[in-house]
Amino acid sequence: MIAHKCPHIQVTIVDVNAARIAAWNSDNLPIYEPGLEEIVKARRGKNLFFDTDVDKAIIEADLIFVSVNTPTKKSGVGAGYAADLFYIELCTRRIASVATSSKIVVEKSTVPCRTASSMRTILEANSRPGLRFDILSNPEFLAEGTAISDLSAPDRVLIGSLGTPEGKAAQAALVEVYANWVPREKVVTTGLWSSELSKLAANALLAQRISSINALSAICEATGADVDEVAHAVGLDQRIGSRFLKASVGFGGSCFQKDILNLVYLSESLHLPEVADYWRQITTMNEYQKRRFSQRVITSLFNTITGKKIAVLGFAFKKDTGDTRESPAATVCKHFLDESAKVSIYDPKVPESQIWLDLTVPGVQDGEEQVKKQVTICDSAMQAALGAEGIVVATEWDEFKTLDWQAVYESMAKPAYVPISPSLSLVGAELTSTENSFIFDGRGILDADKLKAIGFKVFTIGRGEEI
Ligand SMILES: NC(=O)c1ccc[n+]([C@@H]2O[C@H](COP(=O)([O-])OP(=O)(O)OC[C@H]3O[C@@H](n4cnc5c(N)ncnc54)[C@H](O)[C@@H]3O)[C@@H](O)[C@H]2O)c1
Ligand SMILES: O=c1ccn([C@@H]2O[C@H](COP(=O)(O)OP(=O)(O)O[C@H]3O[C@H](CO)[C@@H](O)[C@H](O)[C@H]3O)[C@@H](O)[C@H]2O)c(=O)[nH]1
């Protein structure tokens, strides 16, 4: 976006992953994001460059955005919760050892509160004498799928700095960059620690809304209320607002879970166990929602899905992205595989190789073979649905709304079931069989009445109708 909006600024993106840089320099960009390709193609080779020469880029830059990954730690102190700052530290040490002139170093990655302080210590202790490093915190608030519009017209840009004259001067320099396209009143300046914490806070509050509406969706299903009606009614209160209240099969994405767990760890480190428990509950509810949804599919299909074919529409964690990190679709597929179902998967943007990666455990050969026996990856929703007994909508891709559902219905299996109740004595009982194709709408995007008119049995997340 800087390259797009500021032709006078040269932007060089460097990464240690050579394959990714090669992809950025090719016709097949490594990520799908609406509107991104046009911008990259327009600026590449002019004021936008992709390179693996990290040192050269450090030496030449006046301002460096550190935007590396900060995943949840897998081992050691804080494993499962704390952010792994290994890549941040590696980058910072590289800047310190290579830089030959003073720099503004901008923390763009999402990091725990006070990370800037560690970065400053590393830079000051390891760099050439006489160089200055001013650290700024400039968290990123874009959401995937809408990244270009979020970056073009952000709700706000947040820039934190130390309160020293040098810190303020560095902050002003970055404000100038954003001022090329963002109205000044939307560029918010704060202290460093407030800026770092605001990023974790924003994600925790957003995810909290989803877990809240998902908790309500369970009550709706049990009572006959409709979660969309509830969300609409409460969202009209301006203090609550209508956005981010869409009940779903659970939230996914690389950020929410990681950043909430990071906040939980921070709270625990600060000896605030009640605060930690409060935030942890958001992810607990999210796990519950995914499990609850899968369980609903199983109970509706007469308590067993062994050997049954289930079509899963959508594998990305949300529409308009090919990203599958923490995708609820993947979790739900794994639940079905554990129950020995056959699963056919279709997603318009997720590469087939990524789906295999997400469903198999690296190094477990038997597991991989078993998954390949149970899973088919399809080129269309229609193909996935062929012969399936149930369809699960796991991602809210627009194309699912306009499928030819009549044709889908006709292509599905309709085995005659005899519902079995454990308490029912079968001797002499009058047995009724049903012939059904099921749809489980985990995103609440389909017109349930139309589908029912075709003949489907429909379950929509957060709607308490019997199916
Ligand atoms: N993805 C998002 O939508 C989003 C939004 C807001 C904030 N963030 C934050 O931005 C950060 C990056 O997220 P991401 O999704 O882009 O992660 P990512 O894993 O997709 O990309 C990080 C890149 O950094 C590279 N890298 C790692 N160490 C390096 C080093 N020492 N030198 C050069 N390159 C190095 C990796 O090779 C990788 O390509 C995280 O802190 C994340 O929380 C992400
Ligand atoms: O009402 C809603 C809104 C979202 N979701 C789900 O929540 C997840 C996250 O969606 P979203 O927040 O739109 O995408 P992300 O790319 O994960 O963006 C979040 O995480 C980024 C990384 O930190 C932040 O920059 C963004 O501000 C923040 O929205 C997805 O699975 C969505 O399907 C719902 O279930 N219901």
mmCIF file of all heavy atoms in Angstrom, residues 14-17 20 54 67-71 87-88 90-91 94 108-111 139-144 199 203 254-255 258-259 323 325, ligand 1:
data_model
loop_
_atom_site.group_PDB
_atom_site.id
_atom_site.type_symbol
_atom_site.label_atom_id
_atom_site.label_comp_id
_atom_site.label_asym_id
_atom_site.label_seq_id
_atom_site.Cartn_x
_atom_site.Cartn_y
_atom_site.Cartn_z
ATOM 1 N N VAL A 14 11.924 -7.876 1.914
ATOM 2 C CA VAL A 14 12.902 -8.970 1.950
ATOM 3 C C VAL A 14 12.411 -10.071 2.870
ATOM 4 O O VAL A 14 11.766 -9.815 3.878
ATOM 5 C CB VAL A 14 14.314 -8.500 2.395
ATOM 6 C CG1 VAL A 14 15.009 -7.764 1.272
ATOM 7 C CG2 VAL A 14 14.254 -7.653 3.648
ATOM 8 N N ASP A 15 12.729 -11.289 2.468
ATOM 9 C CA ASP A 15 12.290 -12.458 3.235
ATOM 10 C C ASP A 15 13.376 -13.520 3.099
ATOM 11 O O ASP A 15 14.002 -13.646 2.046
ATOM 12 C CB ASP A 15 10.958 -12.980 2.667
ATOM 13 C CG ASP A 15 10.200 -13.857 3.656
ATOM 14 O OD1 ASP A 15 10.764 -14.889 4.078
ATOM 15 O OD2 ASP A 15 9.054 -13.524 3.994
ATOM 16 N N VAL A 16 13.582 -14.289 4.169
ATOM 17 C CA VAL A 16 14.568 -15.378 4.096
ATOM 18 C C VAL A 16 14.025 -16.560 3.293
ATOM 19 O O VAL A 16 14.787 -17.444 2.909
ATOM 20 C CB VAL A 16 14.978 -15.863 5.518
ATOM 21 C CG1 VAL A 16 15.833 -14.824 6.221
ATOM 22 C CG2 VAL A 16 13.758 -16.210 6.357
ATOM 23 N N ASN A 17 12.730 -16.569 3.053
ATOM 24 C CA ASN A 17 12.108 -17.654 2.291
ATOM 25 C C ASN A 17 12.195 -17.327 0.788
ATOM 26 O O ASN A 17 11.398 -16.562 0.253
ATOM 27 C CB ASN A 17 10.653 -17.798 2.754
ATOM 28 C CG ASN A 17 9.946 -18.960 2.097
ATOM 29 O OD1 ASN A 17 10.288 -19.365 0.989
ATOM 30 N ND2 ASN A 17 8.948 -19.489 2.779
ATOM 31 N N ARG A 20 9.127 -17.918 -1.488
ATOM 32 C CA ARG A 20 8.094 -16.882 -1.385
ATOM 33 C C ARG A 20 8.467 -15.641 -2.192
ATOM 34 O O ARG A 20 7.621 -15.058 -2.873
ATOM 35 C CB ARG A 20 7.919 -16.449 0.074
ATOM 36 C CG ARG A 20 6.845 -17.217 0.773
ATOM 37 C CD ARG A 20 6.367 -16.440 1.993
ATOM 38 N NE ARG A 20 5.393 -17.253 2.716
ATOM 39 C CZ ARG A 20 4.709 -16.842 3.762
ATOM 40 N NH1 ARG A 20 4.900 -15.623 4.241
ATOM 41 N NH2 ARG A 20 3.842 -17.614 4.355
ATOM 42 N N VAL A 54 18.692 -9.632 2.450
ATOM 43 C CA VAL A 54 18.228 -8.923 3.653
ATOM 44 C C VAL A 54 19.241 -7.842 4.055
ATOM 45 O O VAL A 54 18.869 -6.700 4.353
ATOM 46 C CB VAL A 54 18.021 -9.942 4.806
ATOM 47 C CG1 VAL A 54 17.612 -9.233 6.087
ATOM 48 C CG2 VAL A 54 16.984 -10.991 4.417
ATOM 49 N N SER A 67 8.246 -7.302 10.231
ATOM 50 C CA SER A 67 6.894 -7.861 10.029
ATOM 51 C C SER A 67 6.929 -9.380 10.035
ATOM 52 O O SER A 67 6.119 -10.029 9.368
ATOM 53 C CB SER A 67 6.327 -7.391 8.684
ATOM 54 O OG SER A 67 6.645 -6.048 8.456
ATOM 55 N N VAL A 68 7.879 -9.946 10.756
ATOM 56 C CA VAL A 68 8.038 -11.409 10.737
ATOM 57 C C VAL A 68 6.970 -12.084 11.594
ATOM 58 O O VAL A 68 6.258 -11.435 12.375
ATOM 59 C CB VAL A 68 9.447 -11.824 11.237
ATOM 60 C CG1 VAL A 68 10.514 -11.295 10.297
ATOM 61 C CG2 VAL A 68 9.679 -11.335 12.652
ATOM 62 N N ASN A 69 6.880 -13.402 11.445
ATOM 63 C CA ASN A 69 5.874 -14.164 12.191
ATOM 64 C C ASN A 69 6.186 -14.207 13.685
ATOM 65 O O ASN A 69 7.343 -14.249 14.084
ATOM 66 C CB ASN A 69 5.730 -15.583 11.617
ATOM 67 C CG ASN A 69 7.043 -16.177 11.155
ATOM 68 O OD1 ASN A 69 7.944 -15.470 10.730
ATOM 69 N ND2 ASN A 69 7.155 -17.485 11.241
ATOM 70 N N THR A 70 5.128 -14.214 14.492
ATOM 71 C CA THR A 70 5.272 -14.311 15.950
ATOM 72 C C THR A 70 4.300 -15.396 16.447
ATOM 73 O O THR A 70 3.319 -15.099 17.122
ATOM 74 C CB THR A 70 4.925 -12.964 16.623
ATOM 75 O OG1 THR A 70 3.653 -12.498 16.108
ATOM 76 C CG2 THR A 70 5.973 -11.908 16.374
ATOM 77 N N PRO A 71 4.582 -16.653 16.081
ATOM 78 C CA PRO A 71 3.619 -17.722 16.403
ATOM 79 C C PRO A 71 3.574 -18.034 17.899
ATOM 80 O O PRO A 71 4.432 -17.558 18.651
ATOM 81 C CB PRO A 71 4.183 -18.923 15.633
ATOM 82 C CG PRO A 71 5.644 -18.651 15.516
ATOM 83 C CD PRO A 71 5.809 -17.170 15.458
ATOM 84 N N TYR A 87 11.956 -15.019 15.949
ATOM 85 C CA TYR A 87 12.187 -14.385 14.640
ATOM 86 C C TYR A 87 12.362 -12.878 14.782
ATOM 87 O O TYR A 87 13.136 -12.257 14.061
ATOM 88 C CB TYR A 87 11.026 -14.703 13.677
ATOM 89 C CG TYR A 87 10.789 -16.186 13.552
ATOM 90 C CD1 TYR A 87 9.763 -16.812 14.253
ATOM 91 C CD2 TYR A 87 11.634 -16.979 12.779
ATOM 92 C CE1 TYR A 87 9.566 -18.182 14.165
ATOM 93 C CE2 TYR A 87 11.434 -18.355 12.688
ATOM 94 C CZ TYR A 87 10.403 -18.946 13.394
ATOM 95 O OH TYR A 87 10.229 -20.304 13.316
ATOM 96 N N ILE A 88 11.651 -12.307 15.746
ATOM 97 C CA ILE A 88 11.797 -10.870 16.018
ATOM 98 C C ILE A 88 13.235 -10.604 16.496
ATOM 99 O O ILE A 88 13.905 -9.679 16.026
ATOM 100 C CB ILE A 88 10.809 -10.417 17.132
ATOM 101 C CG1 ILE A 88 9.377 -10.484 16.628
ATOM 102 C CG2 ILE A 88 11.168 -9.049 17.683
ATOM 103 C CD1 ILE A 88 8.893 -9.260 15.903
ATOM 104 N N LEU A 90 15.914 -12.464 16.024
ATOM 105 C CA LEU A 90 16.872 -12.726 14.941
ATOM 106 C C LEU A 90 16.970 -11.516 14.007
ATOM 107 O O LEU A 90 18.062 -11.072 13.635
ATOM 108 C CB LEU A 90 16.379 -13.944 14.159
ATOM 109 C CG LEU A 90 17.414 -14.906 13.625
ATOM 110 C CD1 LEU A 90 18.190 -15.532 14.770
ATOM 111 C CD2 LEU A 90 16.701 -16.017 12.831
ATOM 112 N N CYS A 91 15.822 -10.992 13.649
ATOM 113 C CA CYS A 91 15.755 -9.829 12.764
ATOM 114 C C CYS A 91 16.433 -8.617 13.401
ATOM 115 O O CYS A 91 17.198 -7.901 12.742
ATOM 116 C CB CYS A 91 14.290 -9.440 12.604
ATOM 117 S SG CYS A 91 13.623 -9.771 11.060
ATOM 118 N N ARG A 94 20.077 -8.926 13.393
ATOM 119 C CA ARG A 94 20.600 -8.736 12.028
ATOM 120 C C ARG A 94 20.709 -7.242 11.711
ATOM 121 O O ARG A 94 21.715 -6.780 11.159
ATOM 122 C CB ARG A 94 19.637 -9.416 11.048
ATOM 123 C CG ARG A 94 20.178 -9.650 9.686
ATOM 124 C CD ARG A 94 21.027 -10.896 9.631
ATOM 125 N NE ARG A 94 22.093 -10.721 8.645
ATOM 126 C CZ ARG A 94 23.286 -11.276 8.735
ATOM 127 N NH1 ARG A 94 23.599 -12.039 9.751
ATOM 128 N NH2 ARG A 94 24.192 -11.075 7.787
ATOM 129 N N LYS A 108 6.064 -4.017 13.373
ATOM 130 C CA LYS A 108 4.795 -4.189 12.650
ATOM 131 C C LYS A 108 4.135 -5.510 13.059
ATOM 132 O O LYS A 108 2.905 -5.615 13.088
ATOM 133 C CB LYS A 108 5.078 -4.119 11.139
ATOM 134 C CG LYS A 108 3.908 -4.299 10.226
ATOM 135 C CD LYS A 108 2.763 -3.374 10.496
ATOM 136 C CE LYS A 108 2.668 -2.127 9.678
ATOM 137 N NZ LYS A 108 1.416 -1.365 10.021
ATOM 138 N N SER A 109 4.973 -6.499 13.399
ATOM 139 C CA SER A 109 4.428 -7.775 13.881
ATOM 140 C C SER A 109 3.619 -7.528 15.150
ATOM 141 O O SER A 109 3.847 -6.550 15.863
ATOM 142 C CB SER A 109 5.560 -8.738 14.248
ATOM 143 O OG SER A 109 6.391 -8.987 13.157
ATOM 144 N N THR A 110 2.707 -8.455 15.449
ATOM 145 C CA THR A 110 1.958 -8.389 16.713
ATOM 146 C C THR A 110 2.824 -9.007 17.813
ATOM 147 O O THR A 110 3.245 -10.153 17.685
ATOM 148 C CB THR A 110 0.632 -9.170 16.578
ATOM 149 O OG1 THR A 110 -0.086 -8.618 15.475
ATOM 150 C CG2 THR A 110 -0.185 -9.078 17.852
ATOM 151 N N VAL A 111 3.080 -8.232 18.842
ATOM 152 C CA VAL A 111 4.042 -8.674 19.867
ATOM 153 C C VAL A 111 3.487 -8.402 21.264
ATOM 154 O O VAL A 111 2.611 -7.559 21.435
ATOM 155 C CB VAL A 111 5.383 -7.923 19.706
ATOM 156 C CG1 VAL A 111 6.136 -8.382 18.487
ATOM 157 C CG2 VAL A 111 5.158 -6.419 19.680
ATOM 158 N N PRO A 139 1.169 -1.323 14.972
ATOM 159 C CA PRO A 139 0.477 -2.596 14.733
ATOM 160 C C PRO A 139 -0.407 -2.558 13.495
ATOM 161 O O PRO A 139 -0.889 -1.495 13.100
ATOM 162 C CB PRO A 139 -0.357 -2.802 15.999
ATOM 163 C CG PRO A 139 -0.336 -1.528 16.740
ATOM 164 C CD PRO A 139 0.789 -0.703 16.232
ATOM 165 N N GLU A 140 -0.596 -3.740 12.916
ATOM 166 C CA GLU A 140 -1.399 -3.841 11.695
ATOM 167 C C GLU A 140 -2.804 -4.334 12.038
ATOM 168 O O GLU A 140 -2.951 -5.318 12.737
ATOM 169 C CB GLU A 140 -0.714 -4.808 10.717
ATOM 170 C CG GLU A 140 -1.414 -4.916 9.397
ATOM 171 C CD GLU A 140 -1.696 -3.537 8.819
ATOM 172 O OE1 GLU A 140 -0.751 -2.797 8.536
ATOM 173 O OE2 GLU A 140 -2.883 -3.169 8.689
ATOM 174 N N PHE A 141 -3.816 -3.644 11.518
ATOM 175 C CA PHE A 141 -5.204 -4.009 11.829
ATOM 176 C C PHE A 141 -5.961 -4.589 10.637
ATOM 177 O O PHE A 141 -7.169 -4.819 10.734
ATOM 178 C CB PHE A 141 -5.956 -2.792 12.379
ATOM 179 C CG PHE A 141 -5.423 -2.308 13.709
ATOM 180 C CD1 PHE A 141 -4.651 -1.167 13.804
ATOM 181 C CD2 PHE A 141 -5.680 -3.029 14.876
ATOM 182 C CE1 PHE A 141 -4.148 -0.740 15.027
ATOM 183 C CE2 PHE A 141 -5.185 -2.611 16.111
ATOM 184 C CZ PHE A 141 -4.417 -1.458 16.184
ATOM 185 N N LEU A 142 -5.289 -4.797 9.502
ATOM 186 C CA LEU A 142 -6.020 -5.306 8.329
ATOM 187 C C LEU A 142 -6.563 -6.702 8.609
ATOM 188 O O LEU A 142 -5.994 -7.455 9.392
ATOM 189 C CB LEU A 142 -5.110 -5.340 7.102
ATOM 190 C CG LEU A 142 -3.985 -6.388 7.020
ATOM 191 C CD1 LEU A 142 -4.482 -7.743 6.526
ATOM 192 C CD2 LEU A 142 -2.894 -5.895 6.113
ATOM 193 N N ALA A 143 -7.678 -7.020 7.967
ATOM 194 C CA ALA A 143 -8.193 -8.392 8.019
ATOM 195 C C ALA A 143 -7.973 -9.024 6.653
ATOM 196 O O ALA A 143 -8.044 -8.335 5.621
ATOM 197 C CB ALA A 143 -9.679 -8.394 8.369
ATOM 198 N N GLU A 144 -7.690 -10.314 6.627
ATOM 199 C CA GLU A 144 -7.498 -10.987 5.345
ATOM 200 C C GLU A 144 -8.825 -11.017 4.589
ATOM 201 O O GLU A 144 -9.897 -11.052 5.182
ATOM 202 C CB GLU A 144 -6.943 -12.395 5.580
ATOM 203 C CG GLU A 144 -5.524 -12.320 6.093
ATOM 204 C CD GLU A 144 -4.864 -13.682 6.278
ATOM 205 O OE1 GLU A 144 -5.253 -14.649 5.616
ATOM 206 O OE2 GLU A 144 -3.937 -13.753 7.103
ATOM 207 N N LYS A 199 -3.118 -3.538 20.174
ATOM 208 C CA LYS A 199 -3.283 -4.563 19.130
ATOM 209 C C LYS A 199 -3.862 -5.852 19.736
ATOM 210 O O LYS A 199 -4.825 -6.416 19.212
ATOM 211 C CB LYS A 199 -1.931 -4.836 18.458
ATOM 212 C CG LYS A 199 -1.939 -5.987 17.487
ATOM 213 C CD LYS A 199 -2.824 -5.747 16.288
ATOM 214 C CE LYS A 199 -3.132 -7.034 15.565
ATOM 215 N NZ LYS A 199 -4.064 -6.897 14.469
ATOM 216 N N ASN A 203 -7.855 -7.384 19.044
ATOM 217 C CA ASN A 203 -8.177 -8.750 18.609
ATOM 218 C C ASN A 203 -8.967 -9.501 19.669
ATOM 219 O O ASN A 203 -9.882 -10.264 19.352
ATOM 220 C CB ASN A 203 -6.901 -9.511 18.243
ATOM 221 C CG ASN A 203 -6.525 -9.272 16.792
ATOM 222 O OD1 ASN A 203 -7.239 -8.572 16.070
ATOM 223 N ND2 ASN A 203 -5.423 -9.847 16.361
ATOM 224 N N SER A 254 -4.945 -16.801 11.544
ATOM 225 C CA SER A 254 -3.654 -16.929 12.233
ATOM 226 C C SER A 254 -3.551 -16.021 13.449
ATOM 227 O O SER A 254 -2.621 -16.141 14.232
ATOM 228 C CB SER A 254 -2.526 -16.594 11.261
ATOM 229 O OG SER A 254 -2.637 -15.238 10.855
ATOM 230 N N CYS A 255 -4.502 -15.096 13.612
ATOM 231 C CA CYS A 255 -4.295 -14.056 14.631
ATOM 232 C C CYS A 255 -5.082 -14.242 15.917
ATOM 233 O O CYS A 255 -4.508 -14.156 17.004
ATOM 234 C CB CYS A 255 -4.630 -12.700 14.036
ATOM 235 S SG CYS A 255 -3.493 -12.235 12.729
ATOM 236 N N LYS A 258 -3.941 -16.960 18.577
ATOM 237 C CA LYS A 258 -2.562 -16.675 18.979
ATOM 238 C C LYS A 258 -2.494 -15.429 19.859
ATOM 239 O O LYS A 258 -1.824 -15.411 20.903
ATOM 240 C CB LYS A 258 -1.734 -16.494 17.696
ATOM 241 C CG LYS A 258 -0.459 -15.703 17.836
ATOM 242 C CD LYS A 258 0.288 -15.670 16.522
ATOM 243 C CE LYS A 258 -0.024 -14.506 15.611
ATOM 244 N NZ LYS A 258 0.404 -13.202 16.092
ATOM 245 N N ASP A 259 -3.199 -14.384 19.458
ATOM 246 C CA ASP A 259 -3.080 -13.116 20.185
ATOM 247 C C ASP A 259 -3.815 -13.165 21.524
ATOM 248 O O ASP A 259 -3.384 -12.557 22.505
ATOM 249 C CB ASP A 259 -3.584 -11.953 19.314
ATOM 250 C CG ASP A 259 -2.688 -11.760 18.088
ATOM 251 O OD1 ASP A 259 -1.580 -12.343 18.062
ATOM 252 O OD2 ASP A 259 -3.098 -11.054 17.144
ATOM 253 N N ASP A 323 -6.104 -18.625 2.828
ATOM 254 C CA ASP A 323 -5.408 -18.942 4.072
ATOM 255 C C ASP A 323 -6.212 -19.959 4.879
ATOM 256 O O ASP A 323 -7.427 -19.805 5.045
ATOM 257 C CB ASP A 323 -5.237 -17.642 4.889
ATOM 258 C CG ASP A 323 -4.182 -17.773 5.985
ATOM 259 O OD1 ASP A 323 -3.834 -18.903 6.350
ATOM 260 O OD2 ASP A 323 -3.729 -16.712 6.482
ATOM 261 N N ARG A 325 -4.932 -21.096 8.014
ATOM 262 C CA ARG A 325 -4.381 -21.190 9.370
ATOM 263 C C ARG A 325 -5.515 -21.150 10.405
ATOM 264 O O ARG A 325 -6.352 -20.271 10.371
ATOM 265 C CB ARG A 325 -3.357 -20.073 9.603
ATOM 266 C CG ARG A 325 -2.074 -20.315 8.800
ATOM 267 C CD ARG A 325 -1.069 -19.213 8.959
ATOM 268 N NE ARG A 325 -1.446 -17.996 8.270
ATOM 269 C CZ ARG A 325 -0.712 -16.885 8.247
ATOM 270 N NH1 ARG A 325 0.448 -16.850 8.890
ATOM 271 N NH2 ARG A 325 -1.123 -15.819 7.596
HETATM 272 N N1 LIG B 1 -1.729 -12.128 8.483
HETATM 273 C C1 LIG B 1 -2.415 -11.089 8.900
HETATM 274 O O1 LIG B 1 -3.524 -10.828 8.430
HETATM 275 C C2 LIG B 1 -1.882 -10.194 9.977
HETATM 276 C C3 LIG B 1 -2.601 -9.031 10.324
HETATM 277 C C4 LIG B 1 -2.112 -8.216 11.340
HETATM 278 C C5 LIG B 1 -0.932 -8.551 11.992
HETATM 279 N N2 LIG B 1 -0.267 -9.669 11.628
HETATM 280 C C6 LIG B 1 0.996 -9.986 12.330
HETATM 281 O O2 LIG B 1 2.064 -9.847 11.387
HETATM 282 C C7 LIG B 1 3.110 -10.790 11.668
HETATM 283 C C8 LIG B 1 3.390 -11.617 10.430
HETATM 284 O O3 LIG B 1 2.206 -12.341 10.102
HETATM 285 P P1 LIG B 1 2.083 -13.122 8.713
HETATM 286 O O4 LIG B 1 0.708 -13.685 8.659
HETATM 287 O O5 LIG B 1 2.533 -12.247 7.589
HETATM 288 O O6 LIG B 1 3.162 -14.294 8.939
HETATM 289 P P2 LIG B 1 3.833 -15.240 7.843
HETATM 290 O O7 LIG B 1 4.370 -16.399 8.601
HETATM 291 O O8 LIG B 1 2.887 -15.468 6.725
HETATM 292 O O9 LIG B 1 5.029 -14.372 7.245
HETATM 293 C C9 LIG B 1 6.171 -14.025 7.969
HETATM 294 C C10 LIG B 1 7.376 -14.031 7.026
HETATM 295 O O10 LIG B 1 8.538 -13.598 7.756
HETATM 296 C C11 LIG B 1 9.651 -14.277 7.202
HETATM 297 N N3 LIG B 1 10.785 -14.219 8.140
HETATM 298 C C12 LIG B 1 10.923 -14.857 9.328
HETATM 299 N N4 LIG B 1 12.089 -14.526 9.903
HETATM 300 C C13 LIG B 1 12.722 -13.673 9.065
HETATM 301 C C14 LIG B 1 13.955 -12.993 9.106
HETATM 302 N N5 LIG B 1 14.777 -13.121 10.157
HETATM 303 N N6 LIG B 1 14.291 -12.191 8.070
HETATM 304 C C15 LIG B 1 13.443 -12.055 7.005
HETATM 305 N N7 LIG B 1 12.267 -12.669 6.913
HETATM 306 C C16 LIG B 1 11.895 -13.485 7.927
HETATM 307 C C17 LIG B 1 9.127 -15.679 6.978
HETATM 308 O O11 LIG B 1 9.948 -16.382 6.046
HETATM 309 C C18 LIG B 1 7.715 -15.405 6.456
HETATM 310 O O12 LIG B 1 7.658 -15.369 5.043
HETATM 311 C C19 LIG B 1 2.616 -11.598 12.881
HETATM 312 O O13 LIG B 1 3.136 -11.017 14.047
HETATM 313 C C20 LIG B 1 1.105 -11.405 12.826
HETATM 314 O O14 LIG B 1 0.500 -11.549 14.096
HETATM 315 C C21 LIG B 1 -0.704 -10.493 10.629
#
